[in-house]
Amino acid sequence: MDTETLLIHAARRTAAAAHSVNPPLVRTSTAVFDSFDAYKQAQGALVFDGPRYGRSGTSTTFELQRAMAQLANTETCIATSSGLAAITAVLAAHAGPGRHILVSAGVYGPTRVFCDNELIPSGTDVEYFAHDADVSSLLRDTTSLVFVETPASLTMEMWDVPAISSAAHDRGVPVACDATWGTPVFFDAHALGVDISIHAATKFINGHSDLLLGLITGTLDALAGVRAYCDRSGTHAAPDTCWLTLRGLRTLAVRMERHQRSALAVAQWLQSQPGVQRVLFPALHTDPGYKLWCSHFSGAAGPFTIELAPCSEEAFTRFIDDLSLFSLGTSWGGFESLVMPAVPHHLRALAAPANAPRLVRFHIGLESPQDLCDDLASALAAVQGDGDTAKHLQETIVN
């Protein structure tokens, strides 16, 4: 079944009883049972997979989890309260004194903060590896997990996921991947050898910038430890959030197509603009990660990064503040375009050195790419302070 069709028809099992197109929203803290035998059976069943207690989920939760597992071509899915909750659950389930975890450099900032501030002090040996590292040489007898995010959160380097998975599996080590950027529409993580795929459904999967949610997919065996950790730690997703995400899921394929088309148009336009030194976007044929992107992904998502020419903090502030269609925010994946200084998580509040190159991350939303380029042209001209440049930028916008 094509992805477009699957997204429309999956996870509607409970809709029929309500004579509805959409599954009903079921809220409860307490699941009730018809008999003691039914109660005992529920308590002994797989947690987060059927009614037990509100924390284990309701039928609304289970519908979303079934849909996501089907979309990801795997057995099961666990919903968590946020993307970060999903990440930390996977890492913590494989951590512990004497264990070694390999983590790709350039991961989402809070992922690294969790590793540095929680896992390492509690005895886990966390080692970060570069995109061109030979993972097979880094694996140890104590390695319990390889965690990768591709492309890198801000700098957009690509990691060779099949090669990493092959090397890890040769040593019996599972591989987890933060696959939020591509979603299952553009990135089939499990087909590339990933055992545990993680998605911040806050972003593209929901698509409406109005909730926080994490989704973890994999086989029952691969997620057994993570499931137990989520149960012990109280990690769960609210049914309202799952219901809203089911709504967003229906349009995921068409939204991703539009994000891709507009992001490519804006990124290609930016490549030719004065004041832009580099565009970091693996879907561009000039990007160092382009070949890996072609072999791993079937499409490109909306976020990418540019490097502005060195400028003062005042000029950089003008560039950000002069944008009217790009809101300043740290998320991405919604219908709206966003801009954010692309600096490490723990340095976001600090000013950059004078005249340093400026990395800026954009998320290209669903607006007209022409309008977005117009907006960027005006802001770039403000940085350079040249009216003639502004006119030139406007005239070179591509449709």
Side-chain angles (χ1 to χ4, degrees), residues 24-31 54 57-61 238-241 243-244:
L25 169 57
V26 176
R27 303 185 185 99
T28 190
S29 62
T30 306
T58 72
S59 60
T60 308
T61 315
D240 294 69
T241 300
W243 186 84
L244 287 169

Side-chain angles (χ1 to χ4, degrees), residues 237-277:
D240 294 69
T241 300
C242 293
W243 186 84
L244 287 169
T245 302
L246 270 172
R247 177 200 63 182
L249 194 69
R250 306 301 181 191
T251 61
L252 178 61
V254 292
R255 287 188 286 106
M256 292 303 289
E257 276 188 26
R258 177 58 181 268
H259 283 299
Q260 173 181 230
R261 186 167 70 248
S262 295
L264 282 169
V266 174
Q268 288 165 352
W269 176 80
L270 280 166
Q271 282 185 304
S272 64
Q273 302 313 305
V276 177
Q277 294 191 154

